[in-house]
Amino acid sequence: QKEVEQNSGPLSVPEGAIASLNCTYSDRGSQSFFWYRQYSGKSPELIMFIYSNGDKEDGRFTAQLNKASQYVSLLIRDSQPSDSATYLCAVDTGVSASKIIFGSGTRLSIRP
Amino acid sequence: DGGITQSPKYLFRKEGQNVTLSCEQNLNHDAMYWYRQDPGQGLRLIYYSQIVNDFQKGDIAEGYSVSREKKESFPLTVTSAQKNPTAFYLCASSIGTGISYEQYFGPGTRLTVT
């Protein structure tokens, strides 16, 4: 069964520091990788997607993909209290178009 | 403004009743999805549709039904056969059906069945 694994946290990071969130996936055929941010009681919001090995930067966010090791990570620089949320990693199934599998999420808490 | 709307935001039903959750999008997206989220859990796929008048079961389709009569609309019916229907239901859409297309979510409907 295809799986996406994340540490549930909570991950506590001081304001201004770098938050590092990790995700591993089981299907070597996966091609597309997504990070969503979900505030409590709200729907997920797409913040990053990455398709190629290496790093992709967007503002304070950097997604890192290593297909050989089957992990994808999200770095948040200069963490702000507003970054406190649950971060969901999502990976395509590698077989069926349109379907992606979500991890259970990592809860991030930025302490002032 | 383009987006995905779900209604209602909160829904309360008695056990044994069917209930239909609405999802509408004006993004001109081809694909639409329904997910269920339980507390502390990730999202689990219920049904998805890649084109009008066609849809496929996801991982937890039992007790649910859908229709896709219009590109913009993808309603979900939670039937009395669903054993544990209380959950947060999320509708999403994507521009296409390729594996590289990201999904965008509506605000969700929180269903409580007692």
Side-chain angles (χ1 to χ4, degrees):
Chain A
Q1 183 174 346
K2 304 181 195 305
E3 293 181 343
V4 177
E5 300 285 343
Q6 294 181 257
N7 188 319
S8 62
L11 175 65
S12 181
V13 174
E15 185 175 354
I18 296 175
S20 178
L21 306 164
N22 299 312
C23 170
T24 60
Y25 59 95
S26 62
D27 189 347
R28 285 196 172 275
S30 295
Q31 301 285 332
S32 308
F33 307 86
F34 309 92
W35 282 101
Y36 288 84
R37 177 177 62 199
Q38 187 175 25
Y39 293 113
S40 180
K42 302 295 185 182
S43 62
E45 172 192 9
L46 180 70
I47 54 173
M48 289 287 286
F49 56 88
I50 186 168
Y51 308 130
S52 304
N53 267 334
D55 295 0
K56 179 182 178 182
E57 187 174 317
D58 184 2
R60 295 187 297 112
F61 299 99
T62 299
Q64 299 176 317
L65 174 61
N66 184 323
K67 289 186 178 180
S69 300
Q70 294 177 243
Y71 82 79
V72 56
S73 61
L74 179 70
L75 301 178
I76 307 174
R77 290 182 300 281
D78 188 23
S79 295
Q80 303 296 311
S82 60
D83 295 325
S84 296
T86 296
Y87 289 81
L88 302 171
C89 173
V91 178
D92 77 86
T93 60
V95 174
S96 172
S98 304
K99 286 183 66 174
I100 61 177
I101 297 175
F102 286 82
S104 57
T106 297
R107 190 155 54 94
L108 175 65
S109 176
I110 307 300
R111 58 182 190 270
Chain B
D1 272 343
I4 304 172
T5 57
Q6 291 185 245
S7 61
K9 187 174 182 179
Y10 297 96
L11 190 55
F12 298 89
R13 281 294 183 268
K14 294 290 188 184
E15 193 174 317
Q17 295 178 333
N18 291 355
V19 59
T20 297
L21 282 58
S22 168
C23 177
E24 304 278 333
Q25 56 98 1
N26 60 4
L27 300 167
N28 200 32
H29 284 178
D30 286 318
M32 297 186 74
Y33 310 80
W34 274 106
Y35 292 91
R36 167 184 173 137
Q37 187 176 36
D38 294 285
Q41 304 287 316
L43 280 63
R44 292 185 290 168
L45 182 65
I46 304 172
Y47 269 97
Y48 65 103
S49 168
Q50 301 178 65
I51 196 170
V52 174
N53 292 323
D54 187 48
F55 47 82
Q56 288 77 42
K57 292 181 179 180
D59 301 316
I60 56 165
E62 185 176 350
Y64 300 97
S65 65
V66 294
S67 63
R68 186 87 186 276
E69 297 177 1
K70 298 187 299 182
K71 187 176 184 178
E72 303 80 21
S73 179
F74 191 41
L76 172 74
T77 296
V78 184
T79 75
S80 57
Q82 168 50 232
K83 299 300 182 191
N84 187 18
T86 295
F88 187 38
Y89 289 88
L90 289 156
C91 179
S93 70
S94 66
I95 191 169
T97 58
I99 59 174
S100 60
Y101 293 120
E102 57 272 21
Q103 297 180 15
Y104 296 92
F105 286 84
T109 292
R110 198 167 296 277
L111 173 65
T112 302
V113 176
T114 58

